[in-house]
PDB file of all heavy atoms in Angstrom:
ATOM      1  N   ASP A  33      79.242 -37.962 -82.397  1.00 98.00           N
ATOM      2  CA  ASP A  33      80.638 -37.836 -82.945  1.00 98.00           C
ATOM      3  C   ASP A  33      81.662 -37.643 -81.898  1.00 98.00           C
ATOM      4  O   ASP A  33      82.829 -38.081 -81.961  1.00 98.00           O
ATOM      5  CB  ASP A  33      80.732 -36.704 -84.021  1.00 98.00           C
ATOM      6  CG  ASP A  33      79.826 -37.037 -85.228  1.00 98.00           C
ATOM      7  OD1 ASP A  33      79.622 -38.226 -85.509  1.00 98.00           O
ATOM      8  OD2 ASP A  33      79.420 -36.133 -85.946  1.00 98.00           O
ATOM      9  N   ALA A  34      81.307 -36.891 -80.757  1.00 98.00           N
ATOM     10  CA  ALA A  34      82.269 -36.776 -79.713  1.00 98.00           C
ATOM     11  C   ALA A  34      82.551 -38.041 -79.117  1.00 98.00           C
ATOM     12  O   ALA A  34      83.641 -38.358 -78.756  1.00 98.00           O
ATOM     13  CB  ALA A  34      81.581 -35.735 -78.651  1.00 98.00           C
ATOM     14  N   LEU A  35      81.511 -38.902 -78.965  1.00 98.00           N
ATOM     15  CA  LEU A  35      81.754 -40.202 -78.381  1.00 98.00           C
ATOM     16  C   LEU A  35      82.550 -41.102 -79.240  1.00 98.00           C
ATOM     17  O   LEU A  35      83.519 -41.727 -78.879  1.00 98.00           O
ATOM     18  CB  LEU A  35      80.358 -40.913 -78.119  1.00 98.00           C
ATOM     19  CG  LEU A  35      79.531 -40.281 -76.963  1.00 98.00           C
ATOM     20  CD1 LEU A  35      78.108 -40.938 -76.871  1.00 98.00           C
ATOM     21  CD2 LEU A  35      80.230 -40.525 -75.547  1.00 98.00           C
ATOM     22  N   ARG A  36      82.143 -41.210 -80.522  1.00 98.00           N
ATOM     23  CA  ARG A  36      82.745 -42.076 -81.391  1.00 98.00           C
ATOM     24  C   ARG A  36      84.075 -41.663 -81.869  1.00 98.00           C
ATOM     25  O   ARG A  36      85.125 -42.465 -81.861  1.00 98.00           O
ATOM     26  CB  ARG A  36      81.906 -42.324 -82.662  1.00 98.00           C
ATOM     27  CG  ARG A  36      80.474 -43.075 -82.358  1.00 98.00           C
ATOM     28  CD  ARG A  36      79.631 -43.060 -83.543  1.00 98.00           C
ATOM     29  NE  ARG A  36      80.294 -43.676 -84.628  1.00 98.00           N
ATOM     30  CZ  ARG A  36      80.260 -44.998 -84.865  1.00 98.00           C
ATOM     31  NH1 ARG A  36      79.660 -45.791 -84.118  1.00 98.00           N
ATOM     32  NH2 ARG A  36      80.868 -45.529 -85.883  1.00 98.00           N
ATOM     33  N   HIS A  37      84.229 -40.379 -82.358  1.00 97.00           N
ATOM     34  CA  HIS A  37      85.452 -40.041 -82.898  1.00 97.00           C
ATOM     35  C   HIS A  37      86.425 -39.423 -81.805  1.00 97.00           C
ATOM     36  O   HIS A  37      87.652 -39.657 -81.798  1.00 97.00           O
ATOM     37  CB  HIS A  37      85.270 -38.901 -83.975  1.00 97.00           C
ATOM     38  CG  HIS A  37      84.453 -39.388 -85.103  1.00 97.00           C
ATOM     39  ND1 HIS A  37      84.622 -40.658 -85.671  1.00 97.00           N
ATOM     40  CD2 HIS A  37      83.263 -38.893 -85.601  1.00 97.00           C
ATOM     41  CE1 HIS A  37      83.645 -40.889 -86.663  1.00 97.00           C
ATOM     42  NE2 HIS A  37      82.842 -39.845 -86.527  1.00 97.00           N
ATOM     43  N   GLY A  38      85.839 -38.574 -80.904  1.00 97.00           N
ATOM     44  CA  GLY A  38      86.617 -37.994 -79.771  1.00 97.00           C
ATOM     45  C   GLY A  38      87.049 -38.905 -78.784  1.00 97.00           C
ATOM     46  O   GLY A  38      88.233 -38.840 -78.368  1.00 97.00           O
ATOM     47  N   LEU A  39      86.291 -39.839 -78.415  1.00 98.00           N
ATOM     48  CA  LEU A  39      86.597 -40.753 -77.243  1.00 98.00           C
ATOM     49  C   LEU A  39      86.791 -42.207 -77.791  1.00 98.00           C
ATOM     50  O   LEU A  39      87.172 -43.052 -76.953  1.00 98.00           O
ATOM     51  CB  LEU A  39      85.493 -40.689 -76.143  1.00 98.00           C
ATOM     52  CG  LEU A  39      85.445 -39.335 -75.493  1.00 98.00           C
ATOM     53  CD1 LEU A  39      84.075 -39.238 -74.718  1.00 98.00           C
ATOM     54  CD2 LEU A  39      86.630 -39.126 -74.568  1.00 98.00           C
ATOM     55  N   GLY A  40      86.559 -42.467 -79.015  1.00 97.00           N
ATOM     56  CA  GLY A  40      86.790 -43.735 -79.597  1.00 97.00           C
ATOM     57  C   GLY A  40      85.746 -44.831 -79.021  1.00 97.00           C
ATOM     58  O   GLY A  40      85.958 -45.990 -79.160  1.00 97.00           O
ATOM     59  N   LEU A  41      84.531 -44.331 -78.528  1.00 97.00           N
ATOM     60  CA  LEU A  41      83.558 -45.319 -78.095  1.00 97.00           C
ATOM     61  C   LEU A  41      82.617 -45.538 -79.165  1.00 97.00           C
ATOM     62  O   LEU A  41      81.645 -44.716 -79.317  1.00 97.00           O
ATOM     63  CB  LEU A  41      82.975 -44.747 -76.838  1.00 97.00           C
ATOM     64  CG  LEU A  41      83.822 -44.596 -75.583  1.00 97.00           C
ATOM     65  CD1 LEU A  41      83.096 -44.073 -74.415  1.00 97.00           C
ATOM     66  CD2 LEU A  41      84.455 -45.952 -75.193  1.00 97.00           C
ATOM     67  N   THR A  42      82.779 -46.547 -79.881  1.00 98.00           N
ATOM     68  CA  THR A  42      81.958 -46.754 -81.153  1.00 98.00           C
ATOM     69  C   THR A  42      80.774 -47.674 -80.852  1.00 98.00           C
ATOM     70  O   THR A  42      80.106 -48.027 -81.866  1.00 98.00           O
ATOM     71  CB  THR A  42      82.847 -47.303 -82.290  1.00 98.00           C
ATOM     72  OG1 THR A  42      83.499 -48.555 -81.743  1.00 98.00           O
ATOM     73  CG2 THR A  42      83.887 -46.327 -82.768  1.00 98.00           C
ATOM     74  N   GLY A  43      80.466 -47.884 -79.636  1.00 97.00           N
ATOM     75  CA  GLY A  43      79.139 -48.770 -79.296  1.00 97.00           C
ATOM     76  C   GLY A  43      77.972 -47.993 -79.645  1.00 97.00           C
ATOM     77  O   GLY A  43      76.994 -48.577 -79.975  1.00 97.00           O
ATOM     78  N   THR A  44      77.972 -46.701 -79.522  1.00 98.00           N
ATOM     79  CA  THR A  44      76.781 -45.864 -79.790  1.00 98.00           C
ATOM     80  C   THR A  44      76.814 -45.660 -81.331  1.00 98.00           C
ATOM     81  O   THR A  44      77.741 -45.237 -81.893  1.00 98.00           O
ATOM     82  CB  THR A  44      77.071 -44.357 -79.208  1.00 98.00           C
ATOM     83  OG1 THR A  44      77.061 -44.631 -77.734  1.00 98.00           O
ATOM     84  CG2 THR A  44      75.843 -43.571 -79.513  1.00 98.00           C
ATOM     85  N   HIS A  45      75.751 -46.226 -81.951  1.00 98.00           N
ATOM     86  CA  HIS A  45      75.649 -46.176 -83.432  1.00 98.00           C
ATOM     87  C   HIS A  45      75.014 -45.004 -83.959  1.00 98.00           C
ATOM     88  O   HIS A  45      74.240 -44.271 -83.262  1.00 98.00           O
ATOM     89  CB  HIS A  45      74.904 -47.488 -83.865  1.00 98.00           C
ATOM     90  CG  HIS A  45      75.678 -48.699 -83.572  1.00 98.00           C
ATOM     91  ND1 HIS A  45      75.230 -49.989 -83.823  1.00 98.00           N
ATOM     92  CD2 HIS A  45      76.982 -48.868 -83.118  1.00 98.00           C
ATOM     93  CE1 HIS A  45      76.202 -50.910 -83.535  1.00 98.00           C
ATOM     94  NE2 HIS A  45      77.324 -50.223 -83.158  1.00 98.00           N
ATOM     95  N   VAL A  46      75.178 -44.719 -85.282  1.00 98.00           N
ATOM     96  CA  VAL A  46      74.641 -43.638 -85.923  1.00 98.00           C
ATOM     97  C   VAL A  46      73.770 -44.120 -87.152  1.00 98.00           C
ATOM     98  O   VAL A  46      74.419 -44.750 -88.023  1.00 98.00           O
ATOM     99  CB  VAL A  46      75.702 -42.575 -86.341  1.00 98.00           C
ATOM    100  CG1 VAL A  46      75.089 -41.424 -87.094  1.00 98.00           C
ATOM    101  CG2 VAL A  46      76.551 -42.111 -85.183  1.00 98.00           C
ATOM    102  N   GLY A  47      72.564 -43.792 -87.143  1.00 97.00           N
ATOM    103  CA  GLY A  47      71.776 -44.244 -88.263  1.00 97.00           C
ATOM    104  C   GLY A  47      71.321 -43.078 -89.052  1.00 97.00           C
ATOM    105  O   GLY A  47      71.841 -42.786 -90.165  1.00 97.00           O
ATOM    106  N   CYS A  48      70.349 -42.340 -88.616  1.00 96.00           N
ATOM    107  CA  CYS A  48      69.710 -41.334 -89.442  1.00 96.00           C
ATOM    108  C   CYS A  48      70.210 -39.975 -89.171  1.00 96.00           C
ATOM    109  O   CYS A  48      70.014 -39.025 -90.026  1.00 96.00           O
ATOM    110  CB  CYS A  48      68.213 -41.351 -89.079  1.00 96.00           C
ATOM    111  SG  CYS A  48      67.849 -40.899 -87.413  1.00 96.00           S
ATOM    112  N   GLU A  49      70.764 -39.627 -87.971  1.00 96.00           N
ATOM    113  CA  GLU A  49      71.158 -38.295 -87.529  1.00 96.00           C
ATOM    114  C   GLU A  49      70.067 -37.291 -87.565  1.00 96.00           C
ATOM    115  O   GLU A  49      70.248 -36.092 -87.882  1.00 96.00           O
ATOM    116  CB  GLU A  49      72.443 -37.834 -88.383  1.00 96.00           C
ATOM    117  CG  GLU A  49      73.689 -38.471 -87.928  1.00 96.00           C
ATOM    118  CD  GLU A  49      74.907 -37.842 -88.466  1.00 96.00           C
ATOM    119  OE1 GLU A  49      74.902 -37.392 -89.720  1.00 96.00           O
ATOM    120  OE2 GLU A  49      75.975 -37.959 -87.793  1.00 96.00           O
ATOM    121  N   HIS A  50      68.771 -37.732 -87.554  1.00 95.00           N
ATOM    122  CA  HIS A  50      67.811 -36.690 -87.282  1.00 95.00           C
ATOM    123  C   HIS A  50      66.729 -37.228 -86.288  1.00 95.00           C
ATOM    124  O   HIS A  50      65.574 -36.797 -86.288  1.00 95.00           O
ATOM    125  CB  HIS A  50      67.169 -36.049 -88.475  1.00 95.00           C
ATOM    126  CG  HIS A  50      66.503 -36.987 -89.510  1.00 95.00           C
ATOM    127  ND1 HIS A  50      67.256 -37.660 -90.468  1.00 95.00           N
ATOM    128  CD2 HIS A  50      65.352 -37.364 -89.709  1.00 95.00           C
ATOM    129  CE1 HIS A  50      66.498 -38.307 -91.155  1.00 95.00           C
ATOM    130  NE2 HIS A  50      65.262 -38.247 -90.718  1.00 95.00           N
ATOM    131  N   GLY A  51      67.141 -38.096 -85.453  1.00 97.00           N
ATOM    132  CA  GLY A  51      66.288 -38.407 -84.212  1.00 97.00           C
ATOM    133  C   GLY A  51      65.325 -39.481 -84.489  1.00 97.00           C
ATOM    134  O   GLY A  51      64.608 -39.792 -83.567  1.00 97.00           O
ATOM    135  N   VAL A  52      65.130 -40.089 -85.605  1.00 96.00           N
ATOM    136  CA  VAL A  52      64.082 -40.968 -85.915  1.00 96.00           C
ATOM    137  C   VAL A  52      64.351 -42.404 -85.588  1.00 96.00           C
ATOM    138  O   VAL A  52      63.501 -43.131 -85.110  1.00 96.00           O
ATOM    139  CB  VAL A  52      63.772 -40.821 -87.459  1.00 96.00           C
ATOM    140  CG1 VAL A  52      62.747 -41.894 -87.870  1.00 96.00           C
ATOM    141  CG2 VAL A  52      63.189 -39.414 -87.670  1.00 96.00           C
ATOM    142  N   CYS A  53      65.631 -42.861 -85.835  1.00 97.00           N
ATOM    143  CA  CYS A  53      65.904 -44.336 -85.826  1.00 97.00           C
ATOM    144  C   CYS A  53      66.194 -44.816 -84.353  1.00 97.00           C
ATOM    145  O   CYS A  53      65.904 -45.941 -84.066  1.00 97.00           O
ATOM    146  CB  CYS A  53      66.956 -44.761 -86.743  1.00 97.00           C
ATOM    147  SG  CYS A  53      68.584 -44.278 -86.149  1.00 97.00           S
TER     148      CYS A  53
END
Side-chain angles (χ1 to χ4, degrees):
Chain A
D33 293 334
L35 291 170
R36 293 175 57 87
H37 305 308
L39 293 164
L41 295 179
T42 53
T44 300
H45 289 175
V46 179
C48 64
E49 286 190 325
H50 58 274
V52 175
C53 74

